[in-house]
Amino acid sequence: MDLDYGKCWSTSKKDSWKSVLLLAYQSLGVVYGDLSISPLYVYKSTFAEDIHHSETNEEIFGVLSFVFWTLTLVPLFKYVFVVLRADDNGEGGTFALYSLICRHAKVSLLPNRQVADEALSTYKLEHPPERKNNSRVKLLLEKHKSLHTALLILVLLGTCMVIGDGLLTPAISVFSAVSGLELSMSKEHHQYAVIPITCFILVCLFALQHYGTHRVGFFFAPVVLTWLICISALGVYNIFHWNPHVYEALSPYYMFKFLKKTRKSGWMSLGGILLCITGSEAMFADLGHFSYAAIQIAFTFLVYPALILAYMGQAAYLSKHHPTSYQIGFYVSVPETVRWPVLIVAILASVVGSQAIISGTFSIINQSQSLGCFPRVKVVHTSDKVHGQIYIPDINWMLMILCIAVTIGFRDTKHMGNASGLAVMAVMLVTTCLTSLVIILCWHKPPFVALCFLLFFGSIELLYFSASLIKFREGAWLPILLALFLVTIMFVWHYATIKKYEYDLHNKVSLEWLLALGPSLGISRVPGIGLVFTDLTSGIPANFSRFVTNLPAFHRVLVFVCVKSVPVPFVPQAERYLVGRVGPAAHRSYRCIVRYGYRDVHQDVNSFESELVDRLADFIRYDWHWTHGIINSCNEDDDSRSGGSSGEYRLAVIGTVAFSRTPAFEIDESVQPASVSAGFPTVERAADVIEMEPVGVVERRVRFAIDVSESDAQSEIDVQLREELEDLYTAQKAGTAFILGHSHVRAKQGSSFLRRLAINFGYNFLRRNCRGPDVALKVPPASLLEVGMVYVV
């Protein structure tokens, strides 16, 4: 499935104001659904128990002042003006920040890294290597391996809190919207109506996820726009009708008066006030679907003013009415004549806001899985045209069950708000810490600037986080428990994955062993293509040697396939395949490294198989011409044409345009970026990598001259080339076998109790109960050959 990942934020669209405004309008439904429905529950959560609305109005004006300055400092100043600029090739979110940091400092724990990956066009650095700023922070991070692990755990913690938010936001949003029924029926009937209606809406919401956002997304933006206009109009009406002087409460002085009067109770009530910024992280997380300018315009000129007017309007109404804490809420300030239409719009807006966070949860779990930090789950791509729209059935039904359990278990906005608030602030704290590192490592600003950013915004978020944490027994325990559970799962999976890779690395066999296999040893070659999947980027994996030992035969065409993730959001199709030979041409063995970014769409097996054969054919043509001196590039030296030091031959980046030799004239190829020559070391060995790019964006032109003076030698080369291509296509017709390892992992003797618990029980339980690699790759059962492997790590 080849998606156009770049069309949402192309330069031409950014330059067109009409397109920017259209994107800003579309972003309302995807980005701001969660943030825009916060007026439904902020005041109700704030006045739930800690403080009371008195006749002096000091409490309500103080809360309004806190809401105003919180919305101004965090979403507007922090996210719109700073964090949104820390994008990774137009992508945002926790993994985008981690990816940026890993590219500018050697802190990544991903296995099978190659310096060749740095040649990717999306692996761009702001400064070339010789101008990198080797700050003390960077040197400190790279020196201590424990800091690499701590950074990964911080990222995983933020990821888990996003998943927790995906569980809590639908519950509190829909529950708060439906709770408007309390003003239209008695309390006895209300408590029996709201919970079932909320659960019914949640079941419908999760049941419709498999259709994908694109099928119903067209009405998301109109719903949120209608809701923003609605709360703005209600705000303006309440301000002028009840208290036109409510604007005075925007002064920070009222925050001081509020805290002076309420003291500890006021501090604890901040756990409700912070709900006004739930959904702010979505501005950054969904940056890849829109543009920086579109999100900035939509928030600054529409969402932000609408929210401020809504909160001011509610405060103006409450300043003239002093109901009990139970009666404080959004709907009491809505005139009775329009209450039912507002209720319907609110329910629709809460569904849209919930949809946005559920989609974001699917996306971040898919990114975690791509980077080897989450057990394999089935990922369904719901749209061939819109990049990144996915559905994960297993996660969807788990979220639905937990969401309904939270609704039935908590039964009120207070406990849901405490749980949701802690999850939101934890994500924001993680984003603040990672952005501080980006300021130093990627933007090359002085550490003092990053420290100021960290202290200013971190202190605000820590204040709110502490107010949420103190309510541990009143709902805040849920996201903490969920985060600990998920972090444990993700870290155990990642740790075991790294240990398996190290085992494979230490137990790989030499190329000489493969070349020695032949009829003299009773080994035969059978028709067809054998795809041996491995995490190694060089050498012969141990699972293949075990396969040949038990079944003394292997396929006529043998391809060692490594599907790996690189710390970029996406890899262009033209740079995805890195192909080379394993042994001489007559052996018909190849190595293919398939590179994906953490937001890339993995191909299904049918398109992957056919495209892999096409790339192999392109490489064969290219390699014969290169090896026999037919192509002479002015940009390559003799060293780049030599084989690798370990006996494996060079790897080439094979693009989407097939290479073919046309005698007696010159071929003019466009190369972008410039060709990379010789000596790309991996973590295992040194291999030569040469790029072959398709016709595309022209940066420089390289001229290849074809020498056909030796006609006899050329004829012989043509015969050998045709024979190798015929063998490849004949093998393809005979069928393809997928050879995968079926692993069982156990801790080595003498390991600590925690290690044995994590490996022998934790990882193996997850492995048995998650999708196998064959399911993840969508391998047909008839074409699957599994090789049992025991890993002692």
Side-chain angles (χ1 to χ4, degrees):
M1 191 182 297
D2 186 14
L3 302 179
D4 189 1
Y5 50 81
K7 62 184 178 185
C8 292
W9 45 279
S10 61
T11 306
S12 60
K13 284 195 172 184
K14 287 186 177 181
D15 294 339
S16 169
W17 277 105
K18 183 178 179 181
S19 298
V20 169
L21 292 176
L22 178 62
L23 284 174
Y25 167 73
Q26 293 173 343
S27 71
L28 293 177
V30 176
V31 179
Y32 297 110
D34 187 13
L35 184 62
S36 65
I37 58 177
S38 55
L40 286 172
Y41 45 78
V42 168
Y43 283 121
K44 190 173 183 65
S45 298
T46 304
F47 288 94
E49 206 173 87
D50 302 310
I51 57 176
H52 302 283
H53 184 27
S54 65
E55 297 289 337
T56 61
N57 289 326
E58 289 182 347
E59 293 86 359
I60 189 64
F61 288 161
V63 170
L64 175 60
S65 183
F66 264 105
V67 168
F68 171 76
W69 286 106
T70 304
L71 275 171
T72 302
L73 292 176
V74 178
L76 187 62
F77 287 176
K78 175 189 167 183
Y79 279 93
V80 170
F81 293 119
V82 181
V83 176
L84 285 183
R85 297 180 182 275
D87 67 292
D88 182 12
N89 292 282
E91 299 289 340
T94 307
F95 276 103
L97 293 173
Y98 183 61
S99 172
L100 277 174
I101 293 169
C102 288
R103 295 212 300 273
H104 288 81
K106 297 176 182 178
V107 296
S108 175
L109 294 178
L110 282 176
N112 55 37
R113 300 188 305 274
Q114 293 174 285
V115 180
D117 299 333
E118 297 181 13
L120 291 168
S121 59
T122 49
Y123 201 111
K124 59 184 179 182
L125 304 179
E126 294 188 9
H127 298 279
E130 63 272 15
R131 293 178 56 193
K132 283 185 181 177
N133 182 21
N134 291 320
S135 66
R136 291 183 179 180
V137 175
K138 178 182 177 181
L139 295 175
L140 182 67
L141 278 175
E142 293 180 341
K143 181 179 180 181
H144 299 284
K145 189 71 176 289
S146 58
L147 293 179
H148 303 181
T149 305
L151 182 63
L152 177 65
I153 292 176
L154 182 68
V155 173
L156 295 183
L157 180 64
T159 301
C160 295
M161 286 299 181
V162 171
I163 298 172
D165 195 22
L167 159 67
L168 295 163
T169 294
I172 189 174
S173 301
V174 177
F175 182 85
S176 300
V178 176
S179 64
L181 294 172
E182 66 185 359
L183 301 179
S184 304
M185 59 178 65
S186 64
K187 185 177 181 180
E188 291 75 16
H189 293 97
H190 166 257
Q191 64 181 355
Y192 294 111
V194 172
I195 299 295
I197 293 174
T198 301
C199 292
F200 174 75
I201 293 175
L202 289 173
V203 169
C204 293
L205 174 64
F206 284 99
L208 294 173
Q209 290 299 313
H210 70 279
Y211 289 109
T213 309
H214 68 288
R215 298 186 187 276
V216 290
F218 65 91
F219 79 90
F220 280 9
V223 166
V224 176
L225 180 61
T226 303
W227 171 249
L228 290 172
I229 294 173
C230 179
I231 61 176
S232 301
L234 288 172
V236 171
Y237 168 80
N238 286 325
I239 290 170
F240 285 99
H241 189 267
W242 297 111
N243 189 352
H245 299 287
V246 73
Y247 67 88
E248 296 174 359
L250 302 182
S251 169
Y253 172 69
Y254 283 88
M255 289 193 291
F256 172 75
K257 288 181 65 178
F258 170 77
L259 292 176
K260 183 178 180 181
K261 179 179 180 180
T262 57
R263 299 184 182 275
K264 182 181 178 181
S265 298
W267 167 62
M268 293 179 67
S269 70
L270 296 178
I273 295 174
L274 68 87
L275 295 176
C276 70
I277 53 175
T278 57
S280 300
E281 186 72 22
M283 284 193 290
F284 185 46
D286 292 320
L287 182 61
H289 296 293
F290 303 97
S291 67
Y292 170 73
I295 292 179
Q296 187 179 44
I297 289 171
F299 181 79
T300 307
F301 296 104
L302 181 58
V303 179
Y304 176 74
L307 291 174
I308 297 300
L309 288 174
Y311 289 116
M312 288 177 65
Q314 289 185 65
Y317 176 86
L318 294 174
S319 67
K320 299 301 181 182
H321 302 79
H322 298 82
T324 62
S325 296
Y326 173 77
Q327 294 174 314
I328 291 179
F330 172 77
Y331 290 102
V332 297
S333 63
V334 179
E336 192 171 351
T337 54
V338 296
R339 191 166 290 160
W340 279 104
V342 170
L343 175 65
I344 294 171
V345 176
I347 292 175
L348 290 174
S350 68
V351 169
V352 171
S354 302
Q355 173 63 55
I357 193 67
I358 292 169
S359 299
T361 303
F362 292 158
S363 178
I364 201 163
I365 288 176
N366 186 45
Q367 294 172 26
S368 305
Q369 181 180 243
S370 299
L371 295 177
C373 296
F374 200 87
R376 288 181 293 268
V377 290
K378 181 181 180 181
V379 178
V380 178
H381 299 275
T382 58
S383 175
D384 293 343
K385 298 179 181 178
V386 183
H387 173 67
Q389 289 195 357
I390 60 174
Y391 165 66
I392 304 178
D394 302 334
I395 301 299
N396 182 67
W397 301 122
M398 288 182 187
L399 281 178
M400 186 191 76
I401 293 170
L402 292 173
C403 198
I404 292 174
V406 166
T407 304
I408 297 174
F410 284 159
R411 290 177 173 266
D412 62 20
T413 309
K414 172 191 169 185
H415 289 81
M416 294 183 194
N418 293 339
S420 179
L422 186 120
V424 167
M425 292 317 303
V427 176
M428 290 187 175
L429 276 169
V430 170
T431 300
T432 300
C433 295
L434 295 178
T435 305
S436 302
L437 289 176
V438 168
I439 291 173
I440 298 174
L441 301 175
C442 307
W443 296 351
H444 305 294
K445 302 296 182 184
F448 177 74
V449 176
L451 184 63
C452 290
F453 175 86
L454 179 64
L455 290 178
F456 181 74
F457 291 107
S459 59
I460 296 172
E461 291 159 359
L462 275 176
L463 177 66
Y464 283 118
F465 183 78
S466 63
S468 294
L469 195 60
I470 202 69
K471 298 181 179 181
F472 179 84
R473 299 177 61 184
E474 300 172 20
W477 58 268
L478 180 60
I480 295 176
L481 185 65
L482 185 65
L484 288 176
F485 177 71
L486 289 174
V487 164
T488 302
I489 288 177
M490 296 170 76
F491 191 75
V492 165
W493 185 268
H494 181 76
Y495 176 79
T497 301
I498 296 296
K499 291 301 176 184
K500 281 179 59 181
Y501 173 77
E502 292 176 355
Y503 181 91
D504 281 335
L505 192 60
H506 293 142
N507 289 277
K508 64 182 181 180
V509 295
S510 65
L511 177 64
E512 288 73 18
W513 175 88
L514 176 67
L515 298 180
L517 297 177
S520 60
L521 297 178
I523 306 294
S524 59
R525 303 289 290 266
V526 298
I529 299 177
L531 301 182
V532 183
F533 284 83
T534 175
D535 290 330
L536 299 178
T537 56
S538 70
I540 310 303
N543 63 345
F544 180 72
S545 64
R546 185 175 179 84
F547 170 77
V548 175
T549 303
N550 288 276
L551 183 66
F554 58 94
H555 296 82
R556 186 70 187 92
V557 174
L558 191 64
V559 186
F560 295 96
V561 180
C562 172
V563 180
K564 58 177 285 189
S565 294
V566 289
V568 294
F570 50 82
V571 176
Q573 189 70 16
E575 303 174 44
R576 176 154 295 151
Y577 290 87
L578 195 60
V579 187
R581 292 191 186 278
V582 178
H587 199 268
R588 303 296 191 255
S589 297
Y590 310 92
R591 183 176 306 283
C592 181
I593 300 173
V594 188
R595 300 177 290 185
Y596 286 99
Y598 56 80
R599 295 203 66 171
D600 264 330
V601 177
H602 286 233
Q603 296 163 291
D604 59 66
V605 69
N606 293 325
S607 61
F608 172 75
E609 180 185 341
S610 59
E611 186 166 356
L612 178 62
V613 172
D614 290 341
R615 298 290 80 79
L616 285 173
D618 293 341
F619 168 77
I620 291 169
R621 298 186 188 98
Y622 171 76
D623 185 70
W624 274 101
H625 297 149
W626 185 272
T627 304
H628 295 84
I630 299 172
I631 301 176
N632 297 304
S633 170
C634 61
N635 287 71
E636 303 291 346
D637 54 25
D638 292 336
D639 292 336
S640 68
R641 291 190 284 271
S642 63
S645 59
S646 65
E648 289 199 35
Y649 293 74
R650 64 181 173 274
L651 299 172
V653 178
I654 302 299
T656 55
V657 176
F659 179 89
S660 59
R661 182 185 62 83
T662 307
F665 69 95
E666 296 178 340
I667 295 178
D668 215 6
E669 288 282 355
S670 297
V671 177
Q672 190 281 329
S675 294
V676 180
S677 62
F680 274 170
T682 68
V683 294
E684 307 150 71
R685 57 178 287 279
D688 294 304
V689 179
I690 302 168
E691 288 195 11
M692 173 183 159
E693 295 288 341
V695 176
V697 180
V698 178
E699 280 195 3
R700 36 188 279 235
R701 306 184 70 80
V702 180
R703 185 171 298 275
F704 296 105
I706 297 179
D707 181 10
V708 291
S709 56
E710 302 289 339
S711 57
D712 294 338
Q714 185 59 51
S715 299
E716 183 180 350
I717 291 171
D718 286 343
V719 170
Q720 294 176 350
L721 171 59
R722 282 197 298 269
E723 285 179 355
E724 187 169 3
L725 289 175
E726 286 174 3
D727 286 347
L728 176 65
Y729 292 125
T730 302
Q732 183 184 19
K733 292 177 181 178
T736 302
F738 295 80
I739 304 172
L740 283 77
H742 185 81
S743 60
H744 178 77
V745 185
R746 69 168 186 259
K748 64 178 67 172
Q749 290 184 348
S751 299
S752 64
F753 172 75
L754 281 178
R755 182 169 182 171
R756 283 185 281 116
L757 182 66
I759 298 295
N760 295 348
F761 296 98
Y763 177 77
N764 283 316
F765 175 81
L766 293 172
R767 180 187 57 79
R768 287 192 300 267
N769 291 276
C770 72
R771 305 277 176 170
D774 56 318
V775 178
L777 294 167
K778 302 176 183 176
V779 177
S783 303
L784 176 63
L785 288 173
E786 288 191 296
V787 182
M789 286 287 296
V790 177
Y791 290 83
V792 181
V793 298

